[in-house]
């Protein structure tokens, strides 16, 4: 396949940035999208040019770092996958492909396609944990009975990989789907009850301080989430937040 790539290049967070055209040739349909970028970067390096900076780690849909906006969609044209799981057979010979970073005030561009998502880390640090006594007499988690329905919902919420596609897809750059997944994974379990009140209040406070927008229930986040995190989690977080606000 021969393709034209239109890639966002930006030297650093202060640079204005622009789209630059790159032709790539002899791309196999069996390559992953990131392998195709590797081919381009190898060519750029051999020509003595600066390779395109993009984030990646696991390359198997687990780490959530491969944050690419491809042809106007977070993680590209397929659903329920990350950019690293996207294959070039999803495109046609002769296609033009636009590749941009996530666009959100709370995710400033560091370089080219790499954004700073430490705002997510700070939200997690604000309350995304449980306190467990590890003094040697800790109760085995499997010994605590949990309703199957709640266990399944908690597990589904815990599959959020913190990629930020929900924020990038939202017209308000809201982080509600991410935060609600992190709140729900504990709110549904007995182990998560000890810090439940502080957790939801602190995580929502941090989310607001980071500059994410408000949720207006458009649902783009759920559609573009590679892990299928449900909007049901946002409703649960809102209930948790209301109850916690009354408790103080
Ligand atoms: S909710 Fe989905 S889109 Fe948002 S960070 Fe988690 S996995 Fe990514
Ligand atoms: S590189 Fe880890 S999810 Fe894509």
């Amino acid at each position: 396949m021969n393709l034209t790539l239109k890639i966002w290049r930006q030297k650093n967070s202060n640079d204005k940035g622009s789209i630059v055209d790159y032709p790539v040739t002899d791309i196999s349909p069996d390559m992953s999208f990131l392998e195709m970028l590797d081919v381009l970067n190898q060519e750029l390096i051999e020509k003595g040019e600066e390779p395109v900076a993009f984030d990646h780690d696991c390359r198997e849909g687990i780490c959530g770092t491969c944050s690419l906006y491809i042809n106007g969609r977070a993680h590209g044209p397929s659903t329920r996958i990350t950019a690293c799981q996207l294959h070039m057979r999803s495109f046609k010979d002769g296609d033009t492909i636009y590749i941009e970073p996530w666009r959100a005030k709370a995710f400033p561009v560091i370089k080219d396609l790499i954004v700073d998502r430490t705002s997510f880390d700070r939200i997690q640090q604000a309350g995304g944990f449980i306190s467990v006594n590890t003094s040697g007499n800790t109760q085995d988690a499997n010994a605590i009975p949990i309703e199957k329905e709640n266990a399944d919902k908690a597990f589904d919420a815990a599959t959020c990989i913190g990629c930020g596609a929900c924020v990038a897809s939202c017209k308000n750059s809201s982080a509600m789907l991410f935060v609600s997944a992190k709140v729900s994974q504990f709110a549904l379990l007995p182990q998560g009850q000890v810090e439940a009140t502080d957790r939801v209040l602190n995580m929502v406070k941090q989310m607001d301080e980071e500059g994410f927008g408000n949720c207006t229930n458009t649902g783009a986040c759920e559609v573009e989430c590679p892990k299928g995190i449900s909007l049901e989690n946002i409703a649960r977080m809102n209930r948790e937040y209301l109850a916690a606000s009354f408790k103080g």
Side-chain angles (χ1 to χ4, degrees):
M1 298 163 78
N2 296 332
L3 306 158
T4 302
L5 306 179
K6 288 181 172 285
I7 304 181
W8 184 259
R9 301 302 309 263
Q10 184 174 336
K11 286 190 178 64
N12 53 51
S13 52
N14 299 321
D15 183 27
K16 194 157 167 269
S18 64
I19 293 278
V20 179
D21 288 11
Y22 297 98
V24 283
T25 54
D26 293 328
I27 297 297
S28 163
D30 297 326
M31 276 181 190
S32 76
F33 198 84
L34 300 192
E35 284 168 341
M36 182 274 295
L37 288 178
D38 292 339
V39 169
L40 168 67
N41 276 346
Q42 189 59 38
E43 286 174 10
L44 292 176
I45 290 165
E46 283 166 13
K47 283 195 279 184
E49 294 179 28
E50 182 80 10
V52 178
F54 65 95
D55 245 344
H56 58 98
D57 189 2
C58 70
R59 296 199 175 205
E60 52 185 6
I62 296 169
C63 71
T65 58
C66 55
S67 46
L68 298 177
Y69 221 69
I70 302 166
N71 282 348
R73 289 188 64 183
H75 294 301
S78 304
T79 51
R80 296 283 175 100
I81 58 167
T82 52
C84 61
Q85 296 171 299
L86 178 66
H87 283 81
M88 295 314 294
R89 52 182 166 270
S90 298
F91 301 91
K92 296 192 305 294
D93 184 36
D95 272 359
T96 296
I97 307 175
Y98 283 80
I99 311 170
E100 298 171 79
W102 287 171
R103 306 274 188 199
K105 193 174 108 194
F107 289 159
V109 173
I110 296 172
K111 184 175 182 180
D112 295 338
L113 303 171
I114 298 179
V115 299
D116 180 351
R117 273 173 307 188
T118 52
S119 49
F120 269 15
D121 296 337
R122 289 186 290 274
I123 293 170
Q124 281 276 85
Q125 285 160 6
F129 56 85
I130 59 166
S131 295
V132 173
N133 183 343
T134 53
S135 60
N137 56 0
T138 314
Q139 185 178 8
D140 188 323
N142 290 327
I144 303 172
I146 299 168
E147 283 179 31
K148 174 83 169 80
E149 192 185 345
N150 285 348
D152 287 348
K153 285 180 176 173
F155 182 83
D156 287 347
T159 60
C160 165
I161 54 175
C163 65
C166 45
V167 175
S169 313
C170 175
K171 64 176 183 170
N172 310 316
S173 299
S174 168
M176 287 285 272
L177 196 65
F178 165 75
V179 181
S180 69
K182 300 302 173 193
V183 166
S184 290
Q185 67 184 3
F186 296 130
L188 285 155
L189 301 176
Q191 294 94 328
Q193 300 313 308
V194 181
E195 298 94 350
T197 303
D198 288 345
R199 176 183 305 115
V200 68
L201 293 176
N202 290 342
M203 290 181 86
V204 169
K205 180 168 173 277
Q206 190 66 38
M207 175 181 78
D208 290 341
E209 284 175 10
E210 297 291 348
F212 291 102
N214 290 321
C215 174
T216 51
N217 291 313
T218 49
C221 53
E222 184 186 55
V223 173
E224 298 294 359
C225 172
K227 298 298 166 184
I229 300 295
S230 167
L231 287 177
E232 190 185 294
N233 290 296
I234 295 183
R236 181 178 302 104
M237 183 171 81
N238 286 338
R239 290 195 299 275
E240 289 281 320
Y241 186 82
L242 198 63
S245 303
F246 282 126
K247 279 187 208 161

